Amino acid sequence: MTLLTAPRPDTLRTEELLVNMGPQHPSTHGVLRLVVRTDGEIVREAWPQIGFLHRCFEKVAESVTYAQVTPYCDRMDYLASMNNGLAWCLAVERLGGIEVPERAAYLRVMMAELNRIASHLLAFGTYALDLGAFTPFLYGFRERELILSIFEKISGGRLLYHYPRLGGVARDLTPELAGEIRAFIAQMRRAWPEYNELLSENQIFIKRTANVGVIPAAMAVAYGLTGPCLRGSGVKFDLRRAKPYSLYERFDFDIPVGEGIKGEVGDCWDRYWVRMREIIESLRIIEQALDGLPEGEIQTKVSRTLKLPAGEVYVPCENPRGESGYYLISDGKTSPLRVKARGPSFNNLSITHALVRDVLIADVVAIVGSIDIVLGEVDR
Amino acid sequence: MSANPPASPPRTAEQMLREAITDPRELTRYLSYLDRIKSEGMGTSVMVAPLEAAINWARANSLWPLTFGLACCAIEMMAVGASRFDLDRFGAGAFRPTPRQADLMIVAGTVTHKMAPRVMRLYEQIPEPKFVMAMGACTIGGGPYVKHGYHVVKGIDRIVPVDIYVPGCPPRPEALLDALFKLQARIGSDRPLAARWSKRAENELTGSARP
Amino acid sequence: MTPQEIHARLTERFGDAIGPWTEPERGDPHIAVAPGSLHAVCAFLRDDPELKFDYLQLISGVDWTDRLSSVYHLMSLSHGHGVVLRVDLERGNPRVASVADLWPTADWHEREAWDLLGIVYEGHPGLRRILLPEDWEGHPLRKDYAAPAAYHGVTNA
Ligand code: SF4
C-alpha cells in the first residue's frame, strides 16, 4: 500500500505534460490552438498553432477583379473591416493613379476611426471576459452597438461594410447621421471614465495584468510587432503619423505609448491602456473630420473591370491592431498577379513562443488576450 | 414573432386524466389526489400535461449553446449574447465552454479542412439531445469562398447533421434569434420518448452521418 | 535615405550581387539581389548605423510562372526609410538563405512562403507548414496548383 504512506521528497515524481489549449477554447479568441508544456500550474513553453481559419484569401484575390477583392478584405480582420477595405483601396488607387475626392478621404478617416473605437471596445470587453469579469463585456457592447448602428445607416452592414470603394466611398454622410456621430462622441466621453472605474483601476485586473507578459521595446521591434502591442512597449510609432495616408497629416492627435504606470513598461496593462487612450484620440480625429468635412463628390469614376499598369505597390495602414497592408503585384490584367496580405495579428502572435516562458497558466490567457488577435487575418 | 403552434382550447385537469388513464382503479386514485389538492386550496397551481410536452418545454427553453466561434459570424453571435439583443431572454444565453454541458452548437464562421475534424469531435462530445445551427453563408455552403477556397469545407452538412440554417454574411442578430425561435418550435413538436431517439443513436453507432 | 541612395550604397558594397536600378513608372521600386548574397545584404542593412533596418515588415513569395521570388519589405523605425528587396529563384529548385536569425519575425513569414509556394529557406530553425495541415499536398499559391477533389473524405466540389 505505497499510496497510503506519506510520500518522501526523494520519491516524489513530477512530470511535464503537453496540453492543448484550443482550437475550441473560451479564451483563445477564435480558432487558435496553443500547445503548452506544463509543469503543474507553470507553463514552460507554448507553441501557437494556426491555420484553422485559412480561407485562401490570397488565392481568391488572384482570381477575381480588383473591385471584387474589397469585400474579401473586409473579412480579413472582421473587427476592423473599414480599415481593411481602406488599406486595399489605397493600394489599388496608388498603383492605378486614381484620385480620391477629399470628401471621400475625410469620410474614410471618420469611419476608420469609428471602427477603431468599435474594435477597441470589443477588445476591452473580451479581455475582461478572459480574465473572468463579465460586466465590462456588456458595457463594451453597449457603446459598440451605437457605432454599429451608425455604420448600418451609412453602409447597410453591421459587421462587414464594404464601404470604402475603389476611388471613393459607397454613400454620403447625411446631416442627421453627422448629428448621431456627434451624439456618440459625447456618449463615449461620458462612458469612458466609467470603463476605467470598472476595469482599468480594478485591483484584481491590475494584479492579473501588471508586470505580466513584459515585452521589451527591442524585442517588440525584432518580432515585427505593431499597433498597441508595439506602442505598449514604449515605441512611439504610428503609421498615421510616420507614413500618413488618406489625409491623416491634416489631423491632430497624440500617440499614446506605454509608460509603465502599474508595472514595467510593456506589460499587459500597458497594452490595454494604450488601447483605452486611443479611443479618446480617435474621438478627437472624428470630431476634426466632422468639423472640416469638405463639400464635393464622394466617388471618382472607376471602371468595373479596372486594369492596373504592371508594377507593384505596398501601402501600410495603421489598423486597430497594427500595420496592415496589401502587397499588390499587377501584370496589367483585370485581376492581380499576386496579393499578399500583411495582417498585424499574424506578426503580433508570432511573439507568443518567446513571451510565454515559465508563467502561470492563468497568465497565458492574460498574455494572449492582451495581444488582441483576430484569427481572420492571422490565417487569412 | 414566435412560431409556436396555436394553443388548443384549455381542458381541465380532470378531463385530461379521464382521457389518459383507462384503468378505473387508477383513475379513482388520481382523481382523489386531485380532490385533495383542490380541497387544500391549491387547485389553480396544478397543471396536467403529457410528459413529452413537459420535456419539450424544458428543452426548448433552456438551450445551452457551446462557446464556439470560428470567424466573422461569431462576432455577431457574441452581439446576440450581449447588451442589445440579450439571448438570455429566450433561455439560450448560458454559453458553455465545454461541449459536455452544451446542447446547441451554433457553428458560426468558416469551417476549414484543418478545423473539420475538430468540429466533428465537438459534435460527438455533446450529449443527446443536441442541435446544430449552421450560421452564415460559409457554414451553409462555403459562402464567398465556395469557388476558390481550396481549404474551405463547402457546407458543414458534409460533416455533421444540421437542424437549422441561418443565411446571411453575417446573419443579422434578429435572424439568429428567429432561427432560435424556429428551433424551439421544432423541439416543441419532437417526440423525445418515441423510438426516434434510439433510431438516431443507432445511426450514429453504425456511422451514418444523417439521422 | 531614398531607395535609390540605398541602392547606391549596396552596389558600392556588394557589386554585381545587386541588380541595376530601375525607376518604375507607378508604384514602389525594388532592389534585385542575387540569392547567394541575400543574407549578407540583409545583415548589412540591419547593422549599418546609417541604414539600420530594424523592422522587417513582411516577406512574400511570388510565382511569376517562369520563376519564383521572395520579396522583403524592410523599414527602419529610427530613420523612417524603407526598401524592398527581391530575390529571383529557380522554379524547379527555389532555395534562399533564411533571415530568421536577423529578424525573428521572419520565422513565420518564411514558413508561410514555404507552405503556400514551396520556397525553401535554408538555415530556417523549423521549416514546417504553418497554415495548411502537415499532410496537405502541393503549394496552393503556385499558378499551376489544382485544388484536391477531397481531403480526408470531405469532398471539395
Ligand atoms: S458567412 Fe460571411 S460573415 Fe460569416 S463567417 Fe463566412 S464570410 Fe464571415
Side-chain angles (χ1 to χ4, degrees):
Chain A
M1 294 297 284
T2 46
L3 277 179
L4 289 180
T5 56
R8 299 208 328 268
D10 56 325
T11 58
L12 260 183
R13 199 171 60 97
T14 63
E15 212 173 295
E16 287 186 341
L17 264 185
L18 273 185
V19 184
N20 268 313
M21 269 174 89
Q24 184 263 335
H25 189 279
S27 66
T28 50
H29 293 236
V31 282
L32 170 68
R33 172 171 162 230
L34 285 172
V35 179
V36 293
R37 185 159 64 79
T38 58
D39 177 2
E41 269 294 295
I42 311 280
V43 171
R44 295 283 176 222
E45 235 176 328
W47 297 269
Q49 310 283 318
I50 60 174
F52 294 97
L53 190 56
H54 177 51
R55 300 194 279 195
C56 330
F57 165 78
E58 289 167 10
K59 192 80 180 175
V60 173
E62 289 173 10
S63 323
V64 297
T65 66
Y66 287 97
Q68 284 170 337
V69 178
T70 329
Y72 285 99
C73 297
D74 283 9
R75 282 152 183 77
M76 298 277 298
D77 174 352
Y78 35 78
L79 293 180
S81 127
M82 291 280 185
N83 306 58
N84 274 280
L86 175 57
W88 169 253
C89 291
L90 288 172
V92 175
E93 283 155 7
R94 182 172 309 169
L95 193 57
I98 301 167
E99 285 289 331
V100 180
E102 250 186 46
R103 186 175 174 90
Y106 268 67
L107 285 174
R108 286 172 169 191
V109 166
M110 210 185 291
M111 295 307 147
E113 292 306 320
L114 276 172
N115 211 166
R116 187 184 313 277
I117 298 175
S119 165
H120 284 347
L121 285 176
L122 194 118
F124 164 84
T126 51
Y127 193 36
L129 205 58
D130 286 350
L131 299 179
F134 189 70
T135 320
F137 175 73
L138 298 177
Y139 276 68
F141 267 73
R142 182 185 67 189
E143 264 73 46
R144 184 171 175 268
E145 285 290 342
L146 298 178
I147 303 179
L148 296 196
S149 81
I150 293 168
F151 283 165
E152 203 178 335
K153 284 179 192 150
I154 202 158
S155 77
R158 271 174 51 88
L159 185 71
L160 307 168
Y161 314 109
H162 195 197
Y163 180 68
R165 302 279 168 93
L166 300 182
V169 293
R171 258 177 256 191
D172 206 351
L173 186 77
T174 57
E176 298 82 68
L177 204 52
E180 202 170 311
I181 296 177
R182 285 201 195 272
F184 165 75
I185 295 176
Q187 164 64 18
M188 192 63 230
R189 290 223 165 99
R190 264 198 305 279
W192 197 73
E194 223 171 75
Y195 284 35
N196 293 334
E197 251 170 67
L198 193 63
L199 195 65
S200 316
E201 295 298 332
N202 181 316
Q203 281 307 314
I204 304 174
F205 180 71
I206 293 171
K207 280 248 156 57
R208 290 287 306 272
T209 53
N211 288 321
V212 172
V214 179
I215 308 178
M219 183 176 170
V221 175
Y223 274 91
L225 262 54
T226 42
C229 292
L230 178 68
R231 292 192 283 274
S233 296
V235 182
K236 203 166 186 153
F237 176 75
D238 189 318
L239 283 159
R240 289 173 293 175
R241 184 66 52 75
K243 298 208 159 186
Y245 54 91
S246 193
L247 304 181
Y248 263 111
E249 63 273 14
R250 298 198 187 165
F251 297 95
D252 172 39
F253 60 97
D254 287 336
I255 304 172
V257 293
E259 288 158 355
I261 300 175
K262 303 288 176 195
E264 236 176 288
V265 177
D267 59 7
C268 292
W269 195 87
D270 269 351
R271 286 191 281 284
Y272 159 84
W273 187 235
V274 165
R275 286 191 192 100
M276 292 309 284
R277 283 168 58 204
E278 280 186 12
I279 293 181
I280 294 296
E281 295 308 319
S282 292
L283 289 178
R284 280 178 62 194
I285 299 177
I286 299 164
E287 244 171 9
Q288 292 169 42
L290 276 173
D291 291 341
L293 186 66
E295 291 298 323
E297 288 291 302
I298 55 158
Q299 175 81 48
T300 20
K301 191 115 191 62
V302 176
S303 152
R304 271 181 179 272
T305 49
L306 174 72
K307 277 196 183 125
L308 291 190
E312 59 175 67
V313 75
Y314 174 68
V315 185
C317 296
E318 188 71 34
N319 267 22
R321 279 161 201 82
E323 173 181 336
S324 169
Y326 296 89
Y327 173 46
L328 161 65
I329 305 180
S330 158
D331 57 352
K333 302 216 180 72
T334 48
S335 45
L337 177 95
R338 171 85 166 100
V339 179
K340 155 94 185 184
R342 189 223 194 254
S345 300
F346 180 78
N347 298 268
N348 294 355
L349 185 64
S350 71
I351 202 174
T352 314
H353 179 69
L355 199 55
V356 178
R357 289 275 162 86
D358 300 328
V359 297
L360 293 170
I361 292 182
D363 290 347
V364 176
V365 173
I367 292 171
V368 173
S370 77
I371 297 177
D372 185 26
I373 49 165
V374 167
L375 264 300
E377 63 176 7
V378 174
D379 296 341
R380 281 154 290 152
Chain B
M1 190 135 80
S2 162
N4 284 326
S8 46
R11 289 177 297 162
T12 62
E14 189 177 328
Q15 276 173 339
M16 290 183 77
L17 283 176
R18 283 188 192 284
E19 274 170 34
I21 302 169
T22 44
D23 183 348
R25 287 217 336 254
E26 284 286 282
L27 184 61
T28 323
R29 187 155 67 91
Y30 280 100
L31 287 177
S32 77
Y33 293 155
L34 201 58
D35 282 342
R36 203 162 91 210
I37 293 168
K38 277 184 185 157
S39 70
E40 283 168 15
M42 300 195 300
T44 49
S45 58
V46 176
M47 268 169 57
V48 178
L51 184 54
E52 281 193 331
I55 292 175
N56 285 345
W57 173 78
R59 277 185 183 169
N61 293 294
S62 69
L63 282 171
W64 287 9
L66 175 67
T67 316
F68 175 48
L70 291 168
C72 353
C73 278
I75 307 298
E76 282 299 70
M77 183 178 76
M78 277 161 73
V80 176
S83 318
R84 187 188 278 181
F85 297 97
D86 192 11
L87 197 57
D88 255 335
R89 290 178 296 165
F90 310 103
F95 280 91
R96 305 319 288 174
T98 158
R100 306 201 187 272
Q101 296 171 356
D103 37 24
L104 171 64
M105 179 157 96
I106 305 177
V107 187
T110 321
V111 178
T112 61
H113 282 299
K114 197 170 179 177
M115 193 63 198
R118 278 85 180 175
V119 175
M120 280 192 260
R121 171 85 60 90
L122 286 168
Y123 174 76
E124 281 155 10
Q125 284 176 337
I126 300 177
E128 286 282 0
K130 50 187 162 189
F131 309 96
V132 177
M133 208 185 259
M135 179 184 182
C138 282
T139 49
I140 295 175
Y145 304 95
V146 67
K147 197 159 168 206
H148 307 290
Y150 49 86
H151 190 233
V152 174
V153 174
K154 317 289 180 330
I156 59 152
D157 46 10
R158 294 175 188 216
I159 55 172
V160 293
V162 177
D163 291 276
I164 191 152
Y165 297 88
V166 197
C169 181
R172 297 183 53 87
E174 291 90 337
L176 191 65
L177 288 179
D178 186 49
L180 178 74
F181 301 149
K182 292 226 162 72
L183 183 63
Q184 285 176 332
R186 211 219 64 190
I187 294 173
S189 63
D190 262 356
R191 304 289 317 277
L193 303 180
R196 198 188 138 178
W197 294 105
S198 52
K199 183 75 191 144
R200 183 168 175 165
E202 188 186 305
N203 274 338
E204 266 168 12
L205 283 178
T206 53
S208 65
R210 279 179 168 284
Chain C
M1 266 197 241
T2 65
Q4 193 161 7
E5 285 161 5
I6 294 167
H7 176 264
R9 289 272 326 247
L10 287 177
T11 320
E12 181 191 314
R13 166 103 194 204
F14 293 96
D16 282 350
I18 307 296
W21 175 256
T22 43
E23 185 76 43
E25 232 170 89
R26 287 257 182 79
D28 304 337
H30 68 267
I31 300 175
V33 180
S37 315
L38 179 81
H39 193 276
V41 170
C42 284
F44 175 69
L45 286 173
R46 187 188 72 159
D47 296 332
D48 188 87
E50 274 174 48
L51 298 169
K52 212 155 173 252
F53 282 98
D54 45 6
Y55 169 36
L56 172 68
Q57 289 169 294
L58 71 158
I59 300 178
S60 351
V62 185
D63 184 2
W64 302 90
T65 57
D66 56 340
R67 70 204 139 95
L68 298 176
S69 311
S70 181
V71 184
Y72 303 78
H73 282 76
L74 298 173
M75 193 171 183
S76 166
L77 293 189
S78 21
H79 297 309
H81 53 215
V83 73
V84 185
L85 305 181
R86 181 193 290 174
V87 285
D88 282 346
L89 308 167
E90 259 175 69
R91 204 153 186 280
N93 183 25
R95 287 176 174 277
V96 66
S98 162
V99 292
D101 54 334
L102 300 173
W103 298 283
T105 178
D107 181 342
W108 278 24
H109 282 283
E110 290 179 347
R111 276 177 69 189
E112 185 190 313
W114 155 248
D115 191 356
L116 301 182
L117 281 133
I119 299 174
V120 180
Y121 291 90
E122 285 168 327
H124 187 282
L127 200 61
R128 302 182 306 280
R129 285 196 185 270
I130 184 166
L131 296 177
L132 294 167
E134 266 314 311
D135 58 354
W136 193 269
E137 271 172 36
H139 302 284
L141 285 189
R142 294 259 183 132
K143 294 286 180 191
D144 51 5
Y145 176 79
Y151 175 74
H152 284 220
V154 182
T155 51
N156 239 345

